Amino acid sequence: GMSVNVIYLKGNPDLDFKFELAGVNVVGDFASKNPVFQLLQIRKYLTSKTAILHCHLPRAELIGSIAKKKNLLILSKHNSEPFFPGAPEFVSRFLSRFVSKRASACIAISNAVRDYIVDNDEITKSLQIDVIPYGFDEDFKLDPDVRHKLLMQLPQGSPIVGAVGRLAPQKDYPTLLHAFSVFLLHSPTAQLIILGSGPDEEKLHKLTQDLEITQNVKFVGNSNQVSEWMSLFDFFVLPSRYEGFGLVLLEAMQSETPIIAAKNSAIPEILGEDYFGLFQTSDVASLSQQLYNFSFIAKRKESKRLLEQRLELFRPDIMGARVNSIYLKVAS
C-alpha cells in the first residue's frame, strides 16, 4: 500500500530485479558519484516529495540527514562499530549524534547494535531505539546440476566444513584455520570450504601454507552459488569477532546446516544464549573442540532440530509489521 523508491549510493544493484518484482522503483541516478554531488542531487530529487526517508548505513544516513528538507528521517543501525570507523572517536560520535538529532526514529537490528551505539554515546538520548531483527524468507531453491558439479569437486566420505563471509579482520579466519589444523589430527581428510573475498585474502593463503593444510582448504572467492555450497556443508562455522546481526546464520538455518559460531555480540541472540554450538571468541582450543563435537552425526541432528525452531523468530511478516508500525507512528 506504499509507493516505494530505493536509492542506492554505490556498488551494483544486484537486488534490483527483486525490488522491481515487488513494485519498487530503483533509482540509480546518483550511484558511485561524489558524496557532495549525491547530497545536492538527492536534495533536489526530494524537493517536490513528501516522504519518509529510511536510511541504511552511515553514508546514506549522513547524506539523508542533510538532504531530507522537511521529510521525515528514520535510521536503521546494522553494525556494532563506530559510525565512522578509522576516524578519531570524537569525530565519529559528533557525526552520529548530528544525524540522530535530525531523525524521527531509529531501528537497531539487534540488542547488541543498540547497546553498542548507546554505550558509545553515538545517539542522542531523546531518540528512541526500536530493536527489530531481520526477517528472512529467501527463496531457497537449489540448482541440482550446480550442486552435483560442486559435489564432484569434493572428496567423498570426508567431513565438509564451510565458512561464508568477507576475508577481513572482523571475521577472524586465522582462528578458524588454526582450529581446523587441530581438527585434521582427528579427521585427516576433512575439507574446509571458504566463500568470500576481501583484504585479508593473501594473508590467509599464506597462513594456510604455513600451517601445511593447503590440500584441505579451498578458497572459492565470491560466489553466486552460496545456497548450493551451504547445502553441501556438514556444518557451517562463523568465527567472527563481532556481528551486528549475522544474516548468514539465517541462510545456514534455512538450508538446514548445523552451525558453530563465536559467542559474542548479536550471535547468541540469533542462535540462542544456551545454544551448544557456541565457542569462546578467538579461542583456538574452544573452536577445535566444537569442530570435533560436530563431527558426530547425533550432534549435527540436534543442531538442526534446535535451529529449525529458532528460525521461526525471524519471519519477514513479523519484521514487516514492526517496521510498518514505526512508519505509521512517525507519520502521525
Side-chain angles (χ1 to χ4, degrees):
M2 298 182 183
S3 173
V4 181
N5 297 282
V6 170
I7 301 171
Y8 68 97
L9 299 180
K10 60 181 182 178
N12 297 315
D14 298 324
L15 299 176
D16 58 348
F17 72 99
K18 290 193 175 186
F19 282 125
E20 288 164 0
L21 283 173
V24 172
N25 178 42
V26 179
V27 181
D29 300 346
F30 319 120
S32 302
K33 299 289 198 301
N34 180 285
V36 175
F37 172 86
Q38 290 177 327
L39 192 158
L40 295 174
Q41 290 301 307
I42 292 174
R43 187 174 177 82
K44 182 178 178 182
Y45 175 84
L46 292 171
T47 297
S48 59
K49 292 179 173 58
T50 301
I52 294 173
L53 198 60
H54 190 165
C55 295
H56 297 258
L57 300 178
R59 183 171 180 169
E61 291 180 27
L62 192 56
I63 289 174
S65 67
I66 300 172
K68 76 182 188 73
K69 294 197 169 183
K70 294 183 179 180
N71 294 300
L72 300 166
L73 177 68
I74 296 176
L75 312 176
S76 270
K77 299 288 187 179
H78 297 261
N79 298 320
S80 301
E81 61 184 20
F83 183 86
F84 193 160
E89 191 176 293
F90 76 91
V91 173
S92 177
R93 184 178 297 125
F94 171 80
L95 291 174
S96 184
R97 290 176 66 83
F98 169 80
V99 168
S100 68
K101 282 180 181 177
R102 299 173 65 80
S104 300
C106 179
I107 296 170
I109 62 169
S110 67
N111 292 320
V113 169
R114 177 200 60 199
D115 293 346
Y116 180 89
I117 59 179
V118 170
D119 292 346
N120 288 274
D121 202 25
E122 289 210 347
I123 196 163
T124 55
K125 289 182 171 59
S126 60
L127 185 62
Q128 180 181 334
I129 305 174
D130 290 276
V131 176
I132 303 179
Y134 286 137
F136 187 79
D137 189 28
E138 188 67 26
D139 188 12
F140 190 76
K141 292 181 180 178
L142 299 178
D143 185 322
D145 293 333
V146 169
R147 189 181 187 278
H148 180 72
K149 287 178 182 177
L150 297 179
L151 182 62
M152 290 301 98
Q153 299 177 27
L154 302 173
Q156 303 305 303
S158 300
I160 307 300
V161 183
V164 180
R166 291 184 65 245
L167 307 185
Q170 174 197 349
K171 303 301 182 180
D172 198 12
Y173 282 110
T175 294
L176 174 57
L177 290 172
H178 278 97
F180 184 70
S181 70
V182 176
F183 177 60
L184 287 174
L185 300 176
H186 165 70
S187 299
T189 62
Q191 296 287 305
L192 173 60
I193 311 298
I194 299 176
L195 278 64
S197 62
D200 282 359
E201 189 165 349
E202 185 176 339
K203 184 190 303 182
L204 294 173
H205 276 281
K206 185 177 186 308
L207 177 57
T208 304
Q209 293 169 359
D210 293 343
L211 293 171
E212 299 181 351
I213 58 174
T214 53
Q215 296 299 313
N216 299 84
V217 179
K218 181 181 180 67
F219 288 92
V220 175
N222 291 330
S223 173
N224 58 2
Q225 300 165 340
V226 175
S227 296
E228 285 77 15
W229 274 117
M230 192 76 82
S231 72
L232 295 174
F233 299 158
D234 286 305
F235 43 96
F236 168 78
V237 182
L238 184 67
S240 300
R241 293 190 177 100
Y242 63 90
E243 288 286 346
F245 186 87
L247 189 60
V248 70
L249 294 171
L250 300 190
E251 293 176 317
M253 285 184 194
Q254 190 160 25
S255 68
E256 299 182 347
T257 303
I259 296 172
I260 297 171
K263 188 176 184 179
N264 64 63
S265 56
I267 295 172
E269 290 182 51
I270 312 307
L271 301 179
E273 294 287 345
D274 298 325
Y275 176 65
F276 63 81
L278 298 173
F279 69 92
Q280 295 304 312
T281 306
S282 301
D283 188 321
V284 171
S286 179
L287 175 50
S288 60
Q289 181 62 51
Q290 286 289 26
L291 293 174
Y292 173 76
N293 294 343
F294 273 67
S295 67
F296 294 97
I297 293 175
K299 206 74 168 175
R300 301 202 295 271
K301 284 185 176 179
E302 178 65 6
S303 172
K304 287 182 181 182
R305 185 186 68 80
L306 292 174
L307 296 176
E308 182 181 9
Q309 298 171 358
R310 197 78 189 168
L311 191 58
E312 280 295 304
L313 299 175
F314 305 100
R315 286 172 22 207
D317 57 329
I318 294 175
M319 177 188 179
R322 294 186 65 190
V323 172
N324 189 54
S325 70
I326 300 292
Y327 291 163
L328 295 175
K329 181 174 71 174
V330 166
S332 65

